[in-house]
Amino acid sequence: MQPLVESVFYWSDLFGTAVFAFSGVLVAGRLRMDGFGVIVLAAVTAIGGGTIRDLIIGADNVFWTVDSLYLWVILVTALLGQYIAKLPRRLPWYILPLADAFGLAIFTIIGTDKALSYGTSGMVAVVMGVITGVAGGMIRDVLAREVPMVLQREIYATACIFGGVLYTGSLALGITPLLATLLGMSGTFILRVAAIRWHLSLPAFSLNR
């Protein structure tokens, strides 16, 4: 991948890290946690999925241990986020969901691609992409003593699966990595935004008759 493209993806990844960290800040604020609790929830949401992925695939190093800028982004987001969340003039409601969908798309493709680079099969790579995208939020929700959103009816992990399959399938068909990346990201982003816009959800499993 060209250096310019790699640079764009790197800064997009940091943007996604900040967005996910801010979602952790909001949950911590709703639960009236102290400053340390805010930082913990911000951190696990932002880098929890990528950490689990790197440990599973046997990466040489967990990504944030060799690039501390991720930690600085989380810390700054946690500190500023506590102030931003209290501002009387709020952002339009759709800004954070759109930013979250973009971050989800970035995380999914980065996770899938990194797994492929370590020699996993396409199916395993898709799973790693899903873990990268959703595991941090699951840890956040567990710490907040809530049922993780991804385990309910939200089309969230499903969007990751769709994007990951598009990406790995495109590569298998010989499509260039850049185009495959754009297809995978677009698939994740569009499906997630469509679910938000039209309130799409998966059917719920219930034993009640």
Side-chain angles (χ1 to χ4, degrees):
M1 193 174 290
Q2 297 177 353
L4 177 60
V5 177
E6 291 181 352
S7 178
V8 170
F9 268 80
Y10 174 70
W11 290 105
S12 297
D13 189 26
L14 289 174
F15 172 77
T17 299
V19 171
F20 275 42
F22 186 65
S23 74
V25 171
L26 294 178
V27 173
R30 180 160 49 81
L31 297 176
R32 303 179 65 85
M33 291 186 175
D34 61 16
F36 180 73
V38 172
I39 294 173
V40 168
L41 281 199
V44 298
T45 308
I47 60 176
T51 300
I52 295 173
R53 174 205 65 215
D54 285 354
L55 292 175
I56 292 176
I57 66 177
D60 298 330
N61 296 286
V62 176
F63 70 101
W64 53 266
T65 65
V66 293
D67 188 351
S68 60
L69 186 54
Y70 285 94
L71 299 181
W72 282 109
V73 168
I74 291 168
L75 181 60
V76 171
T77 302
L79 296 176
L80 291 181
Q82 296 176 67
Y83 170 75
I84 294 172
K86 292 182 178 180
L87 290 177
R89 185 175 181 179
R90 302 298 178 88
L91 293 172
W93 70 269
Y94 53 83
I95 295 297
L96 187 57
L98 286 177
D100 182 83
F102 178 76
L104 184 68
I106 285 285
F107 280 18
T108 297
I109 300 307
I110 286 177
T112 304
D113 181 72
K114 187 166 186 178
L116 288 174
S117 72
Y118 275 82
T120 69
S121 67
M123 179 177 290
V124 172
V126 171
V127 173
M128 292 301 104
V130 174
I131 288 174
T132 306
V134 308
M138 293 179 69
I139 298 171
R140 174 201 65 209
D141 292 345
V142 169
L143 291 176
R145 294 184 294 181
E146 298 176 348
V147 177
M149 178 185 68
V150 69
L151 299 182
Q152 301 182 62
R153 299 173 63 186
E154 285 278 347
I155 293 182
Y156 202 82
T158 308
C160 297
I161 294 172
F162 182 60
V165 169
L166 275 178
Y167 178 68
T168 55
S170 297
L171 291 177
L173 292 174
I175 295 176
T176 62
L178 178 58
L179 182 55
T181 297
L182 294 175
L183 288 172
M185 283 187 57
S186 297
T188 301
F189 181 79
I190 291 172
L191 182 55
R192 178 59 187 150
V193 170
I196 296 170
R197 172 63 180 82
W198 288 290
H199 306 288
L200 304 178
S201 62
L202 298 174
F205 171 70
S206 176
L207 295 178
N208 296 328
R209 297 183 182 277

